[in-house]
Amino acid sequence: MPLKPSAQRVQDLLAARGLALTVVEMPDSTRTSAEAAAACGCTVAQIGKSMVFRAADSGRPVLAVASGVNRVDEKKLAAALGEPLGRADPDFVRASTGYAIGGVAPIGHTVAPKVYLDADLMALERIWCAAGTPNAVFELTPADLLAITGGTVLDLRKD
């Protein structure tokens, strides 16, 4: 069965980068970290949840890919970025990423974001990320995530 267009776009981007990673569309929702972990058969910590913010001064998109068990410390993120953060509404998320909330992949964004990767994800063997729709995911290594996003590894966990 063919992938939905947004999921196929992620699959094509992965293939174009020479990665033998496979986008899978699950029968159930993977919109939340808990749903994704249940569908993928992994721990919630292994879910790389994509959170989009709007830089308050420049208006540029900022992507934080955090472990599913962590809350993102927006103060740490803003300090690394060098400007305050604002919440991104669904319209901003869709316009800047090309994806709906709950399916934001870490790659293939309409507007290239500044990317930060949760240091806690880097300690894991395998992780799962959204692949363009609320029920599409792909499995990869933390090294793969770093390579495909060009992100900056940062302690994002809110204590």
Side-chain angles (χ1 to χ4, degrees):
M1 197 154 165
L3 295 170
K4 291 179 183 152
S6 289
Q8 186 61 56
R9 179 164 54 112
V10 174
Q11 183 65 72
D12 293 344
L13 287 165
L14 294 169
R17 293 178 183 192
L19 296 168
L21 302 174
T22 303
V23 171
V24 178
E25 287 185 313
M26 300 293 193
D28 297 317
S29 173
T30 57
R31 183 179 299 270
T32 69
S33 295
E35 289 172 346
C40 298
C42 67
T43 67
V44 176
Q46 290 176 279
I47 299 301
K49 62 181 175 184
S50 294
M51 299 178 64
V52 178
F53 298 89
R54 183 180 204 151
D57 297 337
S58 64
R60 78 183 288 193
V62 178
L63 175 67
V65 183
S67 171
V69 295
N70 290 347
R71 292 191 54 167
V72 171
D73 188 325
E74 293 179 33
K75 290 179 183 175
K76 290 179 184 177
L77 194 56
L81 183 63
E83 66 179 291
L85 289 175
R87 286 276 179 204
D89 66 26
D91 291 337
F92 179 81
V93 172
R94 172 72 81 174
S96 63
T97 69
Y99 307 113
I101 291 174
V104 175
I107 58 171
H109 294 208
T110 307
V111 177
K114 177 66 179 164
V115 180
Y116 294 95
L117 306 175
D118 189 346
D120 287 349
L121 286 175
M122 299 298 116
L124 301 170
E125 205 170 300
R126 305 291 294 174
I127 56 177
W128 292 82
C129 289
T133 73
N135 69 327
V137 293
F138 65 104
E139 184 181 15
L140 70 167
T141 66
D144 291 335
L145 180 63
L146 185 58
I148 64 174
T149 63
T152 300
V153 177
L154 185 67
D155 173 12
L156 292 174
R157 182 180 354 111
K158 187 171 188 169
D159 297 320

